[in-house]
Every structure is written in structure tokens, then in C-alpha cells.
Amino acid sequence: MKTNAYAAQTATTPLAPFDLQRREIGQHDVAIEILYCGVCHSDLHTVRGEWGGSTYPCVPGHEIVGRATAVGAHVQKFKVGDTVGVGCMVDSCRTCANCQEDLEQFCDATVFTYNSPDKHTNGITYGGYSDRIVVDEAFVLKVPPNLDLAATAPLLCAGITTYSPMRHHNVTKGQKVGVVGLGGLGHMGVKIAKALGAHVVVFTTSSNKVEDAIRLGADEVVNSKNADEMQQQLKSFDFILDTVSAQHDINAYLLLLKRDGNLTQVGVPPEPLSLNVGSLVFGRRSLSGSLIGGIKETQEMLDFCGQHNITADIELIPIQKINEAYDRLVKSDVKYRFVIDMASLQ
């Protein structure tokens, strides 16, 4: 199936119109007309070759919301006309211990939505900056009918990235939860932690984000550059979600945890962070990382967001402005997630 898309031909060329062929629908496949696709910082890193391993042409996009236009003969969960989502993965080995435990994101053979080897075409996978996609039903998600579709798209990456570690560490009503950084991930972390019933504290270095943090649901906002404000928070947190992907002092946040508290890092700084082990030892605190979520948990997250009317704060753009959006993304000039209106691709 001929498909219109936007692709980068090299790490230094802008995204531009590109034609690709989607596979014919298999017995277990769902063909999807893409309506909206979120813009993740991972897209930018991959397109610009900043993480290494990028293959070109590269069609990014793994925050996909669309409509099922055809289904294979053996598809059971979806029918034509359903509103569906596709996140960061489109396949896995399905047999390893991780897959058996619904943790496909940790499978050694995970097929990511773009820039992964594609067994169907013997090429690479192409993502959501396109007008259609074909995905095995096992990796397609149901979108709650009450949510705004464009604002739902970022839930497929930013939403699950923040939801998964909170669920894993049993964040619940009455706990005190910190969110470090108020960007694409952080703003979702605030909304989800609040919906889980936590007392939410946002840590930011930007005074102009205080009002927004409160609007999004934060109970308190702390200027992390202010030593007195940080001192007042010592040993008081059950859980801290660190979304910062730049170099920063992680020990300052570890000291804010109660005994047995956990800090989960979801931002990925380009250089190693310096860790004072004493920050962990004195208080039996733990530091961990987290990567998106499995398909079962991603569906659970979407259902949770449907129940609580949670979506991302977005700026809707036409595909023709994607390169400008990337430049703005580098400057953190978006509140808080770009989403592409795929009608603009026609």
C-alpha cells in the first residue's frame, strides 16, 4: 500500500515528503489510518543520529492514534471503524520470560515502531509520520472514546513512561511524590500522580513554570536551585520521578527520600550521572530506571486516563512545520507536547 510520509534522508537533512510501501494486511493485522502522531524527543535524537544506530531514510513517530480501516481474517479484538493507538513497539519474540510476563519492552527482540529491522519487508520499520500503518493486533491498543484524540497521542509514550514506574512502585493515595522537571514527561507525571491520589511536588529551575505546575495539579512547587527550599523537603518523599535528560545532581533528590523511598530515572542524560552511594546507604533508599511499559500495562494506562479524563497538553501542528518544531523542541519551547495533524499530509 502506497503511503505518504515524512522522512529524514540523513542525520543532517530536514524531514521532507517521502513515499513508502506498507505491507499487505496479514490474517492478524490491523490497517490504520493515522489521524494524529505525537512528537517525542526520541524522534529528534534518532533523526539527527544523536544516539547512534539510526538507519536512513528514517520515518519517526511512535505516539499514534488513528482509525482501523481494515482487519485481518483472524483479528478478534478490533473491527473496522475502531479508534486505536500504536505506541513504541509493533512486535516482540513473544516467547521469552519478559514477553511471558507482559514486559515486551524488555524483550531482546523487540521491534520498535520505527528504525527497527522489519521481518515483513526485510527493511526497517517506518513510524507514524505517515498517513497509514499496518500493525499486528497484539500491539494495537484501544483508545477510550471520551478522550480528545490529538491530546491522547502522547499518552502512547509520555503517558506510559510516567505511569509504569508509579504503578511498579505502588504509588497510591496519601503518598508524597516528587516530579523533577516539567516538560513533556514531567507534565504527564504530575497529572497521573495526582490522579493516583498522591500529594505532588514539582521540582523546577524555571520560575515561569510555577503557575503551570499548579494548574496541572501540583500541590507544591520547589525551586531546585534554592538550597533552603530543598532543605525543607529532606526525607519526606515516598517516590520521586526524575524526567530530566540533562546533567544534574541526582544526589540532591535522593536525600529527599524517606527511608525505603525510591527515585526512578526516566530521563536519559547523555553523560553518566555522579552518584554518592551514601545517599542510598543511609536510608535504604533505591535508585532505578524505567522504560515505557508492556502492551497490557499500556492499555491499563489508557483506560486509567479515560477514567480520569487525562490527556497531554499539546500544540497541534501541520506536518509541514515539523522541522521548526524540532528546533523549538531543542529549546524546550513547547507546552508540553507537539502533535502532528496527519490531515495536513494529504
Side-chain angles (χ1 to χ4, degrees):
M1 293 185 287
K2 181 174 178 289
T3 299
N4 300 315
Y6 258 55
Q9 297 293 336
T10 72
T12 56
T13 52
L15 288 148
F18 176 70
D19 289 341
L20 61 93
Q21 294 291 329
R22 294 293 188 194
R23 70 176 187 262
E24 293 298 324
I25 301 166
Q27 292 186 327
H28 297 278
D29 287 338
V30 179
I32 301 164
E33 174 195 2
I34 300 175
L35 302 175
Y36 301 101
C37 184
V39 178
C40 178
H41 220 116
S42 302
D43 300 347
L44 186 153
H45 289 310
T46 306
V47 161
R48 296 186 175 178
E50 293 171 355
W51 286 344
S54 296
T55 304
Y56 300 93
C58 177
V59 177
H62 59 204
E63 297 178 344
I64 298 166
V65 168
R67 185 178 295 109
T69 56
V71 298
H74 293 171
V75 169
Q76 297 181 337
K77 294 190 293 182
F78 302 96
K79 64 183 186 302
V80 171
D82 283 353
T83 304
V84 296
V86 178
C88 302
M89 305 174 287
V90 291
D91 209 349
S92 68
C93 83
R94 312 195 195 194
T95 58
C96 69
N98 289 320
C99 289
Q100 292 297 306
E101 294 177 45
D102 298 310
L103 297 168
E104 301 93 344
Q105 73 272 33
F106 299 120
C107 172
D108 290 336
T110 296
V111 179
F112 293 104
T113 306
Y114 65 88
N115 206 53
S116 268
D118 187 341
K119 67 183 180 184
H120 300 281
T121 65
N122 295 319
I124 60 164
T125 53
Y126 293 127
Y129 293 15
S130 56
D131 58 14
R132 67 178 74 186
I133 193 168
V134 178
V135 180
D136 188 295
E137 74 163 328
F139 287 80
V140 178
L141 297 142
K142 296 177 180 177
V143 173
N146 59 305
L147 297 181
D148 177 85
L149 297 186
T152 296
L155 300 183
L156 277 305
C157 178
I160 186 58
T161 296
T162 51
Y163 180 86
S164 183
M166 288 194 227
R167 291 290 289 142
H168 182 71
H169 292 281
N170 300 311
V171 168
T172 190
K173 186 174 182 179
Q175 290 190 333
K176 188 174 179 182
V177 170
V179 177
V180 186
L182 193 68
L185 291 176
H187 95 287
M188 289 305 311
V190 171
K191 293 184 180 191
I192 290 169
K194 190 67 178 176
L196 287 167
H199 178 91
V200 183
V201 181
V202 167
F203 294 91
T204 181
T205 58
S206 305
S207 58
N208 62 350
K209 288 190 175 180
V210 174
E211 189 177 324
D212 246 15
I214 299 298
R215 175 183 64 80
L216 291 164
D219 298 287
E220 299 179 57
V221 184
V222 173
N223 181 343
S224 53
K225 290 181 178 177
N226 186 310
D228 289 339
E229 290 187 29
M230 293 290 281
Q231 182 77 16
Q232 290 170 20
Q233 302 289 336
L234 287 176
K235 299 182 180 180
S236 66
F237 285 85
D238 298 282
F239 178 81
I240 296 176
L241 183 75
D242 191 335
T243 71
V244 176
S245 56
Q247 189 64 231
H248 62 291
D249 181 12
I250 200 167
N251 302 288
Y253 298 103
L254 290 170
L255 293 174
L256 306 186
L257 293 170
K258 294 177 179 176
R259 187 203 72 230
D260 293 324
N262 170 266
L263 185 152
T264 295
Q265 185 73 34
V266 291
V268 185
E271 301 294 332
L273 297 177
S274 178
L275 175 66
N276 177 356
V277 175
S279 304
L280 301 178
V281 171
F282 294 98
R284 200 164 61 187
R285 305 175 178 108
S286 64
L287 169 64
S288 57
S290 185
L291 173 74
I292 55 171
I295 295 300
K296 181 179 178 181
E297 188 175 55
T298 304
Q299 186 63 61
E300 177 189 304
M301 177 274 305
L302 285 171
D303 295 341
F304 176 86
C305 288
Q307 291 161 12
H308 294 273
N309 289 304
I310 295 172
T311 55
D313 283 27
I314 68 163
E315 181 177 333
L316 193 62
I317 61 168
I319 189 76
Q320 292 79 10
K321 289 194 174 181
I322 188 60
N323 295 299
E324 176 188 328
Y326 274 22
D327 292 338
R328 288 178 55 194
L329 198 56
V330 172
K331 302 171 188 171
S332 299
D333 178 25
V334 58
K335 288 187 175 180
Y336 280 92
R337 208 76 167 179
F338 287 115
V339 173
I340 305 165
D341 182 352
M342 281 304 160
S344 61
L345 191 55
Q346 302 307 319

